[in-house]
Amino acid sequence: MDQAALIVAIVSGLISLGSVGYARMAARANKRSAVADETTAALEGDRRHAELTPRLRVRCTPANAGSPDSKLTVELLGPPELGGLDELVVTIRNDNPWRGQSAPLAGGPSSEAVAAHLWSPLKFVRGTGPGADPAFGVPGADDTGRTTPTSGLPVGEMLPFFLEPTTPPVWSEGQTRQDWRRERGTVLRLSFLCRKDGAEWTLVGEIDTQTDNPVMIPERH
């Protein structure tokens, strides 16, 4: 190989190596750009999700004068751009989240039985709920009285839920209903699962069933 051909071969090799290096650099830059775009999109999605967090006003009042039953109303205040919810599921929470997590006592109820019982002053009346109609896929409150699904709620509207006092567990021998209700107190702990166009929000709050004061969920600060 003469000198000119050698020089051409060397230059060609250098150009080839440079092209490979450039391609690798470009690929890394494109990957970084794609990651940055994904991060930006995720942050924007989180921001938009937070902006659309439903705002609820919840009130608990006696169902009828002199009756132990109650009516819970849930009003969707906004935000206006949310338009409404496709589905709202209201759940009554236990008096604390650790029910059924401790080791059962000898001869006592199982952990599963303790967790399954509703430790709350009130429960939903079985089969009731806004628009409850099993034929149309709205079953109403479940058998335990813990959860009530709905078919949705427009902004500016409210839904009524009907509640009744809970009863002591079957293994609680000798405990009267009056004792049970006194132990449970008057605070109802609630969870709200809100769905709209594939997005979900889970909101929690508490309300004193012996006052007529509504609560805002989430709480305003």
Side-chain angles (χ1 to χ4, degrees):
M1 179 182 295
D2 58 24
Q3 185 175 7
L6 179 60
I7 293 173
V8 170
I10 293 173
V11 171
S12 297
L14 292 175
I15 292 175
S16 177
L17 290 174
S19 298
V20 171
Y22 178 80
R24 290 177 177 174
M25 291 175 58
R28 287 195 292 267
N30 289 337
K31 185 176 181 179
R32 287 194 297 268
S33 178
V35 170
D37 290 344
E38 290 177 1
T39 301
T40 300
L43 292 173
E44 177 61 21
D46 291 344
R47 182 190 65 80
R48 185 60 176 165
H49 185 269
E51 288 179 347
L52 292 177
T53 299
R55 299 197 303 269
L56 306 175
R57 178 160 56 202
V58 181
R59 185 188 300 270
C60 188
T61 58
N64 297 291
S67 170
D69 295 347
S70 300
K71 181 173 74 171
L72 183 79
T73 57
V74 180
E75 182 180 3
L76 180 59
L77 299 179
E81 57 268 33
L82 181 65
L85 297 174
D86 298 330
E87 184 181 16
L88 171 66
V89 181
V90 185
T91 299
I92 298 174
R93 298 182 289 151
N94 285 334
D95 53 359
N96 68 66
W98 302 284
R99 288 288 182 184
Q101 293 187 13
S102 59
L105 298 175
S110 66
S111 299
E112 292 76 13
V114 173
H117 191 77
L118 183 54
W119 300 81
S120 173
L122 297 171
K123 63 180 180 179
F124 294 117
V125 178
R126 185 178 61 181
T128 67
D133 189 341
F136 289 91
V138 186
D142 64 9
D143 290 343
T144 67
R146 188 185 298 272
T147 299
T148 301
T150 76
S151 58
L153 177 62
V155 168
E157 301 294 334
M158 68 173 60
L159 294 175
F161 300 81
F162 297 96
L163 307 114
E164 60 185 357
T166 56
T167 55
V170 295
W171 62 82
S172 182
E173 298 180 0
Q175 184 178 40
T176 67
R177 292 195 175 193
Q178 289 74 20
D179 290 340
W180 166 262
R181 292 173 187 174
R182 183 171 57 253
E183 290 177 4
R184 300 282 70 75
T186 61
V187 175
L188 193 66
R189 304 177 73 238
L190 299 164
S191 173
F192 304 86
L193 175 59
C194 308
R195 293 190 174 104
K196 173 70 174 185
D197 295 337
E200 288 188 358
W201 299 262
T202 298
L203 311 176
V204 296
E206 300 180 352
I207 187 168
D208 191 331
T209 62
Q210 297 302 302
T211 70
D212 192 31
N213 298 324
V215 297
M216 309 299 294
I217 299 175
E219 293 183 2
R220 292 179 295 185
H221 297 286

